[in-house]
Amino acid sequence: SDARLSNFIWIQQIRDRSYSKATSSLTKLISNGFTAFGEKSKNNPNKNCSLHERKLVLSLAKISSTIATNKHQQQEEKHETVIDDNLELVQAQSIMLELLDTKQVGDTIMNNNNHAMGAEELLTFSLSHIQTPNNMEDKVRVAIVGLSVARVSSEKVINAARVWGKVIEQDMSTWNILLDQDMEMSDKERATRVSRTLLYNLAKDYYFNNTSRTNLDNVISFQHNPVVTQKAVEFAEGKHPGLQALLKKVVNMPASDLVQL
């Protein structure tokens, strides 16, 4: 049909060196969940294309977009945004694939042949598995995935607050102890307790070390956006009146300043 043939038009546009038009056509395929060859995923015909298939379409679109830009052809900014945001999602899901195995997840949802997740699905999945890895480094990486997805989502502030809130929630007992027993606790004990929290380790990576190479965005920052800070504490269901102030201190301090809490 004419509709199906239109899904292949990018091939002719590439041959014609109409790279801007090809980028537009490939971007539409991405948005509609099609593969580069105008089909739904063979593995999941009723769902979006697979992670591998989406990566292929995005790679083609990115190359076409780059050539169009280099040749000074007209290019709509929204195409570039769609491509980059979807590449961020592909990268985020790929990281989750590395961190979680089938035994930990309990199903095949992270299989590379299954459908590529959208922002909301991937965010929900990462939130539900923040505590799954056995070591702190991998827990931080899962949280970073959540923040990366939040950054490209339509509700980035609320979604970022959901991630920070989930992180805070993991160590709520520690925060309550620190607040209730502050005067009775030595500097060393206080520093030790904080250093074992997911929030501290995430903040150390995200703000100070940035080993995750995450694009820092103040809009989704617990440190810089007061709305994210407030909503995150609400999502974590923190009731102590001094909790928000304590958490901001933790996020603002590098490792050398832990004793000053």
Side-chain angles (χ1 to χ4, degrees):
S1 66
D2 292 341
R4 184 170 180 179
L5 287 174
S6 67
N7 292 329
F8 293 89
I9 197 171
W10 66 270
I11 298 174
Q12 185 59 49
Q13 290 166 338
I14 291 290
R15 287 175 176 172
D16 294 340
R17 300 187 178 184
S18 300
Y19 298 110
S20 183
K21 291 181 180 179
T23 301
S24 178
S25 298
L26 286 163
T27 302
K28 288 178 182 177
L29 291 181
I30 297 165
S31 301
N32 295 329
F34 286 98
T35 71
F37 302 104
E39 303 172 330
K40 287 286 186 176
S41 171
K42 293 179 180 178
N43 299 299
N44 293 278
N46 297 319
K47 296 182 179 181
N48 290 337
C49 57
S50 72
L51 183 62
H52 173 75
E53 291 162 341
R54 176 176 283 181
K55 189 173 183 179
L56 174 60
V57 178
L58 288 166
S59 297
L60 290 168
K62 189 68 175 179
I63 292 170
S64 177
S65 174
T66 300
I67 295 173
T69 302
N70 291 340
K71 288 182 173 294
H72 306 290
Q73 294 186 21
Q74 186 177 4
Q75 178 184 9
E76 295 183 25
E77 185 177 338
K78 65 179 181 179
H79 293 156
E80 189 72 20
T81 300
V82 169
I83 294 167
D84 289 342
D85 286 357
N86 275 275
L87 282 170
E88 186 89 21
L89 294 178
V90 167
Q91 176 67 15
Q93 189 171 342
S94 296
I95 291 172
M96 292 294 285
L97 273 167
E98 294 175 9
L99 293 175
L100 303 175
D101 57 34
T102 305
K103 290 181 180 178
Q104 290 175 311
V105 177
D107 53 39
T108 59
I109 194 170
M110 292 305 294
N111 188 295
N112 196 45
N113 290 323
N114 275 9
H115 72 283
M117 294 182 182
E120 179 59 33
E121 183 181 7
L122 185 53
L123 180 65
T124 300
F125 187 80
S126 62
L127 288 174
S128 67
H129 286 285
I130 280 182
Q131 199 63 12
T132 301
N134 296 319
N135 61 76
M136 181 62 74
E137 182 181 355
D138 286 349
K139 289 176 183 178
V140 168
R141 290 185 70 194
V142 174
I144 289 290
V145 166
L147 290 174
S148 297
V149 175
R151 192 174 67 84
V152 301
S153 68
S154 58
E155 298 288 342
K156 61 167 60 180
V157 172
I158 293 299
N159 286 334
R162 288 169 63 191
V163 177
W164 289 108
K166 194 69 175 179
V167 168
I168 294 165
E169 181 186 294
Q170 303 306 307
D171 300 290
M172 190 58 73
S173 60
T174 297
W175 306 128
N176 288 332
I177 289 172
L178 287 168
L179 289 163
D180 293 337
Q181 302 178 19
D182 181 61
M183 299 302 293
E184 307 164 15
M185 203 175 295
S186 68
D187 289 344
K188 183 178 180 181
E189 182 182 358
R190 187 183 301 110
T192 299
R193 287 181 181 272
V194 171
S195 69
R196 292 172 178 169
T197 64
L198 179 54
L199 177 67
Y200 170 73
N201 284 278
L202 172 60
K204 185 172 66 172
D205 183 284
Y206 190 73
Y207 294 113
F208 300 107
N209 297 341
N210 200 23
T211 56
S212 59
R213 295 184 174 84
T214 305
N215 294 321
L216 296 179
D217 186 340
N218 287 347
V219 174
I220 65 169
S221 171
F222 186 90
Q223 184 181 31
H224 298 101
N225 189 335
V227 177
V228 171
T229 307
Q230 180 181 343
K231 290 293 183 184
V233 174
E234 290 175 6
F235 281 127
E237 298 184 354
K239 306 298 183 184
H240 200 292
L243 179 61
Q244 186 168 313
L246 172 63
L247 298 176
K248 290 210 73 169
K249 282 185 179 180
V250 169
V251 167
N252 283 324
M253 288 187 174
S256 60
D257 292 336
L258 269 179
V259 293
Q260 297 180 21
L261 282 172

